[in-house]
Amino acid sequence: MSGPETVASALPTMNEQTTDGSGSLLYDIVYDIISSPVNLALVGIISFLLYKISKSRQPPASLPPPPPELPRLRRDFTVAELKHYDGTQPDGRVLVAVNGNVYDVTKGKTFYGPGGPYAVFGGRDASRGLATFQITSMGSDEYDDLSDLNSHEMESMREWEMQFKEKYYLVGRLLKPGEKPTNYSDEDEDTPTDSSDVRKRTVTTKATDAGAPSSLEAEKSADSKKVGDEEAAAGPEANKPKAE
């Protein structure tokens, strides 16, 4: 006969079978995965996709704000003055002279600033180095008139100068010894002219070129016509001599 004791004694046996079954199922799954290269590849792909999905949901790292743009500089420099603009000063501005002109290359600071591949040109006259393809040393700190460069080297330097003109702002000139700087001011800039004034000047110029009478000649013609009209109105009696 089966009583409570028989049922109680049977329960542990069922629990043990359930636990053994779960462990056996997990073992079978792991065994199937590691025993098949295809399954291993699928697991790797799934793991990689899950990693990419979780990575894309993370907020992007905030980039540092760009440095403020420096105000435009417009002036001439001597060789000694140019040396102070090599990027090591507080504002970090970098100037480079090429063929007698000074350019602001601050936006190319990674090349011409401290630590850059062309840092030797920062605050210097780079004409000779660009013409001869020598960037290891800039030679003397005196003004270089480049008179000993040959035609091929001068042409190479001019090609470099064209690239500087396209990419960077022109600041001013590199002064020769004893040369006075140019006084750059707002008055030197062209001011817009009223369109009506332009049209008036154009019409006047075209009329003069075509042989039309000037304003003075037109006034003389009008006065002559007025006198003639007055004489005609007075009649022939106006021309007779008056009695004394």
Side-chain angles (χ1 to χ4, degrees):
M1 293 180 63
S2 61
E5 296 81 1
T6 305
V7 175
S9 60
L11 287 176
T13 304
M14 294 175 63
N15 291 335
E16 291 175 359
Q17 290 178 356
T18 303
T19 304
D20 293 342
S22 300
S24 177
L25 179 60
L26 181 61
Y27 173 80
D28 292 340
I29 293 174
V30 173
Y31 178 78
D32 290 340
I33 292 174
I34 63 177
S35 62
S36 174
V38 176
N39 292 338
L40 285 175
L42 291 175
V43 170
I45 293 172
I46 293 172
S47 301
F48 177 76
L49 293 176
L50 292 175
Y51 169 78
K52 294 293 289 184
I53 292 172
S54 62
K55 192 73 174 178
S56 62
R57 291 180 178 178
Q58 295 179 0
S62 58
L63 298 177
E69 185 176 356
L70 296 175
R72 290 285 299 272
L73 190 62
R74 191 74 170 125
R75 54 163 293 192
D76 297 336
F77 290 87
T78 63
V79 175
E81 292 171 341
L82 187 64
K83 289 179 62 177
H84 298 290
Y85 293 87
D86 59 355
T88 59
Q89 69 279 12
D91 63 355
R93 192 188 296 270
V94 183
L95 303 181
V96 174
V98 181
N99 197 20
N101 293 321
V102 179
Y103 297 92
D104 189 337
V105 300
T106 306
K107 66 180 182 179
K109 192 174 182 179
T110 54
F111 295 97
Y112 301 99
Y118 304 108
V120 68
F121 293 153
R124 308 292 292 272
D125 182 7
S127 303
R128 181 174 294 275
L130 296 175
T132 59
F133 297 98
Q134 296 179 1
I135 62 175
T136 56
S137 176
M138 292 303 298
S140 174
D141 290 337
E142 302 296 329
Y143 180 83
D144 189 356
D145 60 4
L146 309 174
S147 58
D148 59 331
L149 296 181
N150 57 42
S151 59
H152 177 73
E153 292 170 339
M154 290 295 295
E155 181 64 25
S156 176
M157 180 190 62
R158 293 190 185 99
E159 291 178 358
W160 275 101
E161 184 184 13
M162 291 301 297
Q163 297 184 29
F164 274 77
K165 286 182 178 180
E166 294 176 358
K167 295 181 179 180
Y168 305 113
Y169 291 128
L170 174 64
V171 176
R173 297 180 300 114
L174 184 64
L175 299 174
K176 300 177 182 179
E179 186 178 7
K180 293 183 179 180
T182 304
N183 183 19
Y184 299 101
S185 64
D186 296 336
E187 297 177 356
D188 297 335
E189 299 180 359
D190 294 332
T191 56
T193 307
D194 183 62
S195 58
S196 61
D197 293 340
V198 174
R199 287 195 295 268
K200 289 178 182 178
R201 295 197 197 101
T202 304
V203 172
T204 305
T205 304
K206 289 183 177 178
T208 304
D209 294 341
S214 63
S215 59
L216 181 59
E217 293 174 349
E219 291 176 0
K220 289 182 179 180
S221 177
D223 293 340
S224 300
K225 183 178 180 182
K226 182 178 180 180
V227 172
D229 293 341
E230 291 176 351
E231 291 178 352
E237 300 295 332
N239 297 326
K240 292 182 179 182
K242 293 182 180 180
E244 294 292 330

